[in-house]
């Protein structure tokens, strides 16, 4: 059970709890080599044994630290569509910012000194820029000295910008004038930005809703000098299956501390005068949103009881509407504590659904003002739920008679509810026999677009409120999920294809696109309609069956709402990948598009849809030309059993055909039921993409003379039992890859390394215990003993006792004695990913030490699942390259037996 401690003390505990690591790290260089390293200063073995941050070869360092943050994306558009907001960092964050003291409260990370979420401390923007949408010219927003910026929000008219200024010891509300970039502190009181990290404008642009530190806040609770009792955990006979969480509350003191740091004062700040109106009493505010007129507030509260077995997002919540005085006008939904991530004993045939199924959901302010809208599904037959009170459906008082002739469908409804929020002011706008996924109103509130799903069919349609019962189909397709609410900033968020989804291949290639949206007068997203209001726009990406030759193309169609007739507004070019990211007017005569190709870095352009003229708005650069110029090949690999899959092979830019290179495999297996399921994942491949590079792109190893194969090999089996074939499929996949790359003359099969992160790390160690092919492995943030994730992992839904044989066969820890090659493991000490507790790497290292295997373990302070800081990233690359150079590139020079690290 994790302890709640400031980071310095936490570090001491981690170090003492991980004492075997000191011996484990010694295995990075055998005892004999460690003694010799003093004579060979700067050797790879000496680097591996260093207990301070080290740096990789210069070519790698340049690629890792490339200033990618200088490239503009133009995605955050102002409501008036005249500008874009750019938030920039200084590049990779530092250990100094990540190492600032912080607490963990059941998954919530808090910078307790500054009373804010830790992410605001570690990820704040160092600069803000306003970019003109027609010329690309930019000017800076003034930031206060010593502060970073977070949560920037446009005012509804686009003339102002509110943001959170993060100082070392506090966060404060600042407002900037868009035209001049000048900013000022809007309120003297510091913010409480632990749960609420966004700001909310009123529609008139005069007020900003936020959460402040309470004026009458009591002193911070203190842990008793002597413990007052035991840690208590109890079960009640219910099957509360939960994932293996990284941080959970530990004891009553931690519950008290969490309440202290999440209890804040809701306040409306007048941005011109600085006047602060405190609304209601301090409470544990989870989310808050003002009505357009600023007189009502949609507030979600975190409530008790807290839990020791699930994280804070599963704690009870109450969704409410407050009046201007902070008093609750109505409780919209009350969600109880959820201490299970899966089915419970109560979810048996004939039992009522979980209460969340029939609660009010997707609550939002009506774009025209005056009230809220929400979705609500009626209870199943024989289980009544009051649409107004949300009474427990299991209450005998709410039971209703079953309809004659069998069970009826559960109706799902879109409601409008106006003040004073009584039964008389509630009105059904749309009713459906299917579950409604999402809705998107017009700005005048006279009609709505609805996305619903039923029987495997996605249906998007329009409904006018003065034509009750009538629907105008936008699109209806089997196998695709209908969803709305994707703004012009990201017009492809719903309704379009997903990796591995859409069983109907014909349907996939017929995808119609998503209804586009824009920012409405009240600040919320509304449907983007033509100037005459008769047409909407559908934006998407069109994919092709022969994806190896024909790249996807972005498109926008205008659709006449009533007739369904479509006309093309835009279709991307065939030789570059071109997608719409923003619109500058309602008739779509001007679009902002992003264009890229394998040799052209993504840039934003203003496109005139009538003349076709393009005006370049950004001047982005390729900051990693060494990587971009590398040789790339897509190779189809066929296993002995006939299954085939694709790998991406990257070779040095100066590669000469026929040269056999040391190989590095980087992989991440996925589970499928058949070949067709795997094939569906390839349909969104894009041959016109610019090569994507980040700080941890494994292909950088080509600069060190390696051939790098990156692939997602398939694990194939019956639904729910795919992992029964995990080990055999893993062996077949790797054998087929090696055989094919060897046959084509790219690799030296006697000098191979393998690696992966998270589930890829787990699979890396499995590869090294179940095959003899690899001289070395790199495994990061992995789990190596499946008995430590007993209620499921990845896509495995059986628990340990249902699939015990598979769990044991898949646990490389239990076969550690069979490990071949030299294994480098790394793990983040504050890994918050479910199921990858650092104890797994510690115990694996302990086992390998006892077995006399060649191994190293590097554990990085302050890092989460997937390292982020400059120091850690460079250190990892330094150790990876040194490890591979010793055990892969120069494998033939290694001694037959490695000396023990112990005296």
């Amino acid at each position: 059970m994790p302890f709640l401690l400031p980071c310095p003390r936490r570090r001491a505990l981690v170090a003492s709890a991980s004492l075997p690591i000191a011996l484990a790290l010694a295995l990075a260089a055998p005892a004999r080599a460690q003694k010799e390293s003093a004579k060979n200063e700067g050797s790879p073995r000496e680097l591996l044994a260093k207990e301070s941050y080290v740096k990789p070869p210069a070519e790698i360092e340049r690629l890792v630290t490339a200033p990618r943050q200088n490239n503009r994306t133009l995605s955050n558009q102002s409501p008036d569509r005249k500008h874009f907001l750019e938030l920039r960092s200084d590049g990779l964050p530092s250990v100094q910012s990540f190492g600032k003291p912080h607490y963990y409260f059941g998954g919530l990370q808090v910078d307790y000194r500054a009373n804010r979420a830790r992410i605001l401390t570690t990820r704040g923007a160092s600069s803000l820029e306003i970019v003109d949408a027609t010329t690309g010219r930019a000017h800076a927003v003034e930031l206060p000295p010593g502060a970073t910026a977070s949560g920037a929000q446009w005012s509804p008219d686009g003339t102002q910008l509110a943001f959170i200024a993060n100082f070392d010891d506090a966060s404060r509300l600042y407002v900037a004038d868009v035209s001049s970039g000048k900013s000022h502190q809007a309120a003297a009181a510091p913010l409480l930005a632990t749960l609420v990290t966004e700001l909310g404008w009123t529609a008139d642009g005069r007020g900003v809703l936020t959460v402040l530190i309470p004026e009458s806040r009591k002193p911070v609770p203190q842990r008793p000098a002597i413990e007052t009792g035991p840690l208590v955990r109890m079960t009640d006979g219910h099957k509360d299956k939960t994932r293996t969480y990284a941080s959970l509350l530990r004891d009553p003191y931690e519950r008290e501390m969490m309440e202290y740091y999440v209890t804040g004062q809701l306040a409306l700040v007048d941005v011109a005068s600085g006047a602060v109106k405190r609304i209601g009493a301090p409470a544990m505010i989870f989310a808050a949103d003002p009505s357009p007129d600023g007189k009502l507030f949609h507030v979600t509260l975190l409530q008790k009881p807290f839990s020791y077995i699930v994280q804070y997002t599963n704690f009870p919540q109450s969704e409410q509407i407050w009046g201007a005085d902070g008093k609750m006008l109505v409780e919209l939904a009350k969600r109880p504590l959820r201490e299970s991530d899966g089915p419970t004993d109560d979810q048996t045939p004939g039992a009522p659904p979980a209460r969340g199924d029939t609660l009010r959901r997707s609550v939002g302010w009506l774009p025209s003002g005056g009230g809220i809208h929400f979705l609500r599904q009626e209870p199943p037959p024989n289980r009544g739920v009051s649409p107004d009170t949300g009474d427990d459906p299991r209450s005998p008082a709410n039971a209703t008679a079953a309809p004659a002739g069998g069970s009826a469908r559960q109706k799902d409804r879109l409601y409008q509810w106006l003040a004073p929020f009584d039964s008389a002011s509630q009105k059904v706008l749309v009713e459906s026999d299917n579950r409604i996924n999402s809705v998107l109103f017009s700005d005048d509130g006279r009609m709505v677009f609805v996305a619903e799903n039923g029987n495997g069919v996605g249906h998007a349609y329009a409904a006018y409120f003065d034509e009750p019962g009538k629907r105008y189909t936008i699109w209806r397709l089997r196998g695709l999920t209908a969803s709305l609410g994707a703004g012009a900033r990201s017009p492809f968020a719903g309704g379009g294809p997903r990796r591995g989804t859409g069983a109907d291949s014909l349907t996939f290639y017929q995808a119609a696109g998503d209804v586009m949206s824009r920012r409405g007068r009240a600040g919320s997203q509304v449907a983007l309609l033509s100037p005459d209001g008769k047409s909407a726009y559908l934006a998407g990406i069109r994919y092709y069956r022969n994806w190896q030759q024909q790249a996807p193309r972005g498109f926008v169609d205008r659709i006449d709402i009533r007739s369904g007739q479509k006309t093309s507004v835009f279709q991307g070019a065939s030789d570059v990948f071109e997608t719409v990211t923003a619109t500058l007017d309602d008739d779509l005569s001007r679009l902002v598009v992003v264009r890229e190709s394998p040799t052209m870095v993504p840039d934003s352009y203003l496109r005139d849809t009538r003349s076709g003229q393009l005006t370049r708005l950004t001047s982005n650069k390729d900051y990693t030309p060494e990587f971009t110029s590398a040789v790339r090949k897509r190779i189809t690999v066929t296993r002995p059993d006939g299954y085939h899959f694709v790998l991406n092979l990257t070779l040095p830019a100066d590669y000469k055909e026929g040269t056999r290179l040391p190989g590095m495999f980087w992989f991440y297996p996925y589970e499928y039921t058949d070949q067709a399921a795997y094939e569906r994942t390839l349909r969104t491949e894009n041959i016109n993409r610019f090569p994507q590079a980040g700080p941890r792109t494994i292909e950088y190893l080509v600069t060190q003379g390696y051939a790098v194969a990156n692939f997602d090999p398939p694990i194939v089996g019956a639904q729910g039992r795919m992992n029964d074939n995990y080990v055999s499929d893993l062996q077949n996949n790797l054998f087929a890859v090696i055989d094919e790359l060897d046959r084509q003359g790219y690799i030296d099969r006697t000098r191979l390394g393998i690696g992966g992160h998270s589930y890829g790390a787990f699979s890396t160690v499995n590869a090294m215990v179940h095959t003899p092919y690899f001289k070395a492995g790199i495994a990061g943030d992995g789990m190596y003993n499946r008995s430590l994730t007993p209620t499921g992992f990845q896509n495995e839904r059986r628990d340990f006792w249902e699939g015990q044989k598979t769990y044991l066969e898949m646990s490389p820890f239990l076969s550690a004695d069979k490990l071949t090659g030299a294994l480098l493991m790394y793990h983040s000490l504050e890994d918050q990913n479910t199921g990858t507790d650092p104890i797994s790497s510690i115990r694996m290292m302990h086992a390998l030490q006892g077995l006399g295997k060649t191994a190293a373990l590097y554990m990085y302070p302050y890092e989460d699942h997937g390292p982020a800081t400059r120091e850690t990233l460079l250190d990892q690359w330094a150790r990876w390259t040194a490890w591979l150079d010793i055990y892969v590139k120069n494998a033939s020079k290694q001694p037959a037996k490695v000396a023990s690290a112990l005296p």
Side-chain angles (χ1 to χ4, degrees):
M1 190 65 63
F3 290 84
L4 173 75
L5 294 167
C7 216
R9 187 177 168 193
R10 181 188 291 272
R11 291 201 302 273
L13 283 176
V14 171
S16 63
S18 307
L19 190 58
I21 296 175
L23 295 177
L25 285 174
L27 291 174
R32 188 178 305 146
Q34 283 183 318
K35 294 175 183 177
E36 292 174 354
S37 68
K39 306 173 186 176
N40 301 295
E41 184 132 4
S43 70
R45 292 187 183 276
E46 183 188 42
L47 181 149
L48 288 167
K50 278 187 176 294
E51 295 182 275
S52 58
Y53 290 112
V54 292
K55 290 187 176 183
E59 305 95 329
I60 297 286
E61 183 174 4
R62 282 199 303 272
L63 292 166
V64 173
T65 61
R68 302 171 184 83
Q69 72 278 2
N70 292 339
N71 285 339
R72 292 197 175 117
T73 56
L74 301 192
S75 60
N76 190 343
Q77 189 179 24
S78 62
D80 59 9
R81 294 186 275 191
K82 295 179 179 179
H83 301 97
F84 290 93
L85 174 65
E86 279 286 298
L87 289 81
R88 291 194 180 185
S89 71
D90 286 329
L92 296 175
S94 69
V95 163
Q96 283 69 35
S97 63
F98 270 59
K100 291 182 178 179
H102 51 278
Y103 290 140
Y104 283 85
F105 297 110
L108 177 66
Q109 301 181 35
V110 174
D111 176 345
Y112 60 86
R113 183 166 177 254
N115 289 281
R116 61 175 172 251
R118 183 186 177 216
I119 193 171
L120 302 190
T121 297
T122 60
R123 298 291 191 177
S126 59
S127 67
L128 301 177
E129 287 186 340
I130 304 295
V131 182
D132 186 279
T134 58
T135 66
R137 287 194 292 268
H139 65 272
V141 172
E142 183 181 70
L143 293 188
T148 61
S150 302
Q153 295 288 331
W154 296 100
S155 63
D157 63 2
T159 63
Q160 300 178 92
L161 195 69
F163 62 92
I164 298 172
N166 301 304
F167 300 89
D168 281 343
D169 59 351
S171 289
R172 301 182 184 277
L173 172 62
Y174 272 68
V175 173
D177 176 75
V178 168
S179 61
S180 67
K182 297 292 185 181
S183 67
H184 69 277
Q185 183 175 305
L191 307 184
L192 181 77
T194 51
L195 289 178
V196 178
T197 58
E198 297 289 339
L199 305 167
W201 284 91
T202 56
D204 59 9
R206 297 177 59 184
V208 171
L209 188 69
T210 188
V211 178
L212 307 177
I213 294 175
E215 288 182 307
S216 56
R217 196 185 204 189
K218 296 178 181 178
V220 62
Q222 298 297 314
R223 179 179 285 279
I226 302 296
E227 295 286 357
T228 59
L231 297 177
V232 178
R233 302 293 183 269
M234 300 178 68
T235 63
D236 58 5
H238 287 272
K239 293 182 180 179
D240 291 327
K241 293 187 177 182
T242 65
R243 296 184 289 173
T244 310
Y245 291 110
S247 64
L248 297 169
L249 293 179
R250 176 180 181 267
D251 54 27
Y253 165 71
E254 292 195 1
R255 293 196 313 232
E256 187 180 6
M257 285 285 283
M258 178 175 181
E259 183 175 3
Y260 176 86
Y261 281 106
V262 300
T263 298
Q265 174 66 62
L266 190 66
L268 188 63
V269 178
D270 186 299
V271 298
S273 68
V276 175
K277 179 183 178 181
R278 288 171 171 78
I279 303 160
M284 293 186 289
I285 301 171
F286 194 88
D289 181 31
S291 63
D293 61 8
K295 295 179 180 179
L296 300 174
F297 306 95
H298 175 206
V299 180
T300 301
L301 301 179
L302 194 68
Q303 296 191 317
K304 296 179 181 179
F306 294 167
S307 172
Y308 292 135
I309 67 172
V310 291
Q311 296 191 321
Y312 78 102
T313 50
N314 281 30
F315 292 179
Q317 293 182 14
S318 176
E319 197 169 357
Q320 306 172 359
I321 298 295
W322 288 7
D325 58 0
K327 293 182 179 178
M328 184 180 71
L329 301 180
V330 64
E331 184 173 48
L332 300 172
K334 188 175 182 66
R335 298 177 178 83
L337 172 67
R338 294 177 291 117
E339 288 197 304
S340 175
D341 292 326
T344 66
D345 285 347
D346 291 334
Q347 290 179 306
T348 54
R355 289 195 56 179
D357 285 349
T358 55
L359 293 176
R360 297 182 183 94
R361 67 186 196 280
S362 301
V363 178
W365 295 108
L366 291 166
S368 55
I372 62 170
H373 62 82
F374 63 88
L375 296 171
R376 190 169 200 181
Q377 190 167 30
E378 68 181 4
N382 297 321
R383 294 290 191 270
V385 177
S386 164
D388 298 318
T389 64
D391 290 343
D392 192 329
R394 285 166 277 194
S395 169
N398 287 322
T400 58
S407 61
R409 284 179 176 269
Q410 290 175 252
K411 298 286 188 184
D412 204 11
R413 300 181 177 94
L414 170 65
Y415 289 88
Q416 166 189 291
W417 206 3
L418 308 179
F421 303 104
D422 55 18
S423 57
S425 60
Q426 184 170 271
K427 178 183 177 181
V428 175
L429 298 177
V430 175
E431 182 177 88
S432 176
D433 288 336
N434 298 315
R435 181 81 168 184
I436 297 175
N437 182 300
S438 52
V439 297
L440 185 64
F441 285 83
S442 61
D443 201 18
D444 60 12
R446 295 180 180 179
M447 57 91 68
V448 68
F449 292 90
V450 178
E452 64 179 42
N453 300 283
N455 300 318
V457 176
H459 186 199
Y461 57 88
Y464 290 89
F465 302 138
D466 59 359
E467 300 179 40
K470 196 162 187 178
R471 299 177 180 182
Y472 296 95
T473 293
I474 302 301
W475 60 262
R476 186 200 301 267
L477 290 170
R478 178 170 295 280
L480 292 186
T481 299
S483 180
L484 297 169
R489 291 175 297 169
S490 179
F492 317 119
R498 300 290 184 272
R499 176 184 173 92
T501 64
D504 188 330
S505 292
L506 178 63
T507 296
F508 177 88
Y509 298 109
Q510 294 176 340
D514 300 320
V515 177
M516 297 183 72
S517 68
R518 63 174 178 84
R519 197 83 60 94
R521 289 169 294 178
S524 60
Q525 289 293 308
V526 298
L528 174 61
L529 301 181
S530 59
D532 61 8
K534 295 180 180 180
S535 299
Y537 299 95
L538 300 175
I541 302 175
R542 190 157 286 122
Y543 296 91
Y544 302 93
R545 294 179 184 278
N546 59 335
W547 56 268
Q548 299 95 331
Q549 293 82 37
Q550 193 170 7
R553 300 172 71 175
F555 71 90
V556 176
D557 291 336
R558 179 187 288 108
I559 181 168
D560 183 276
I561 297 172
R562 284 185 162 83
S563 71
Q565 183 176 353
K566 292 182 186 178
T567 55
S568 176
V569 175
F570 161 81
Q571 178 165 282
S574 61
D575 58 338
V576 300
F577 183 51
E578 188 174 15
T579 55
V580 176
T581 58
T583 66
L584 299 193
D585 45 45
D586 288 350
D587 62 2
L588 269 62
S589 62
R590 295 178 301 165
L591 302 175
V592 176
V593 299
V594 171
R595 293 165 55 87
E596 62 179 295
S597 77
T599 58
M600 183 172 72
V601 67
D603 260 315
S604 294
Y605 292 79
L606 180 63
R607 175 180 279 279
D608 187 306
T609 58
R610 296 186 176 118
S611 67
Q613 181 181 353
L614 285 170
T615 302
R616 190 172 177 178
L617 299 176
T618 59
S619 298
N620 294 333
K621 297 179 181 178
D622 179 6
Y623 288 104
T624 56
E626 306 96 321
F627 168 72
T628 306
S629 62
V631 177
R632 293 176 174 80
K633 298 179 180 292
R634 295 185 66 89
I635 297 175
T636 298
V637 175
T638 303
R639 299 188 332 199
D641 59 7
Y643 282 99
H644 54 270
F645 57 96
V646 175
L647 68 80
N648 296 304
L649 180 67
T650 307
L651 303 164
D654 59 355
Y655 176 77
K656 292 181 174 55
E657 287 293 333
T659 305
R660 292 183 179 272
L661 301 175
M664 180 61 184
F665 295 177
W666 196 262
F667 77 136
Y668 194 104
Y670 284 94
E671 300 87 352
Y672 305 98
T673 54
D674 53 29
Q675 180 69 51
Y678 170 79
E679 296 288 344
R680 286 195 291 272
T681 69
L682 302 178
R683 298 180 300 187
T684 57
E685 294 292 317
N686 190 339
I687 59 174
N688 277 346
R689 281 279 193 191
F690 185 76
Q692 303 294 307
R696 302 177 69 240
T697 299
I698 197 65
E699 283 80 5
Y700 294 162
L701 285 171
V702 298
T703 65
Q704 307 303 299
Y706 293 88
V708 180
N710 204 326
F711 55 101
D712 300 334
I715 306 297
V716 185
Q719 184 66 46
R721 303 187 65 90
M722 288 90 83
N723 281 328
D724 289 353
N725 301 323
Y726 175 85
V727 173
S728 60
D729 276 7
L730 183 69
Q731 293 168 328
N732 282 336
N733 289 328
L734 295 174
F735 173 80
V737 169
I738 295 170
D739 210 38
E740 183 62 31
L741 295 180
D742 180 35
R743 185 185 69 80
Q744 295 195 31
Y746 294 119
I747 61 168
D748 175 354
R749 67 187 302 154
T750 68
R751 294 187 295 162
L752 296 178
I754 190 167
H757 185 80
S758 193
Y759 200 66
F762 160 77
S763 296
T764 292
V765 183
N766 264 306
M768 296 178 72
V769 301
H770 292 300
T771 76
Y773 309 135
F774 302 101
K775 300 297 184 183
I778 296 174
D781 289 350
M783 169 53 68
Y784 312 114
N785 184 345
R786 284 298 160 202
S787 70
L788 298 180
T789 57
T791 59
F793 60 91
Q794 204 70 359
N795 288 321
E796 179 59 64
R797 295 296 174 260
R798 295 170 293 178
D799 64 27
F800 178 85
W801 297 270
E802 295 168 321
Q804 186 172 127
K805 183 174 181 291
T806 297
Y807 272 66
L808 297 178
E809 287 179 347
M810 291 180 70
S811 296
F813 178 85
L814 303 182
S815 301
D817 59 321
K818 300 180 178 64
L819 184 136
T820 60
L823 176 62
L824 182 155
M825 293 182 290
Y826 64 90
H827 215 123
S828 300
L829 281 170
E830 298 186 35
D831 186 352
Q832 295 300 293
N833 185 54
T834 55
T836 54
D837 193 291
I839 194 64
S840 173
S841 292
I842 295 169
R843 295 295 175 242
M844 180 56 115
M845 192 67 217
H846 195 188
L848 296 176
Q849 171 189 309
L851 291 166
K853 301 294 183 178
T854 303
L857 172 59
Y858 301 98
M859 304 195 77
Y860 291 94
Y862 320 120
E863 300 283 5
D864 198 341
H865 192 71
T869 67
R870 179 188 182 97
E871 292 85 351
T872 295
L873 289 165
L874 291 176
D875 186 273
Q876 286 186 342
W877 275 105
R879 299 182 196 272
W880 295 355
T881 53
W883 192 262
L884 294 175
D885 281 355
I886 293 172
Y887 296 110
V888 175
K889 185 180 290 185
N890 298 297
S892 61
K893 302 176 183 178
Q894 295 308 307
K897 184 173 178 59
V898 177
S900 169
L902 300 176

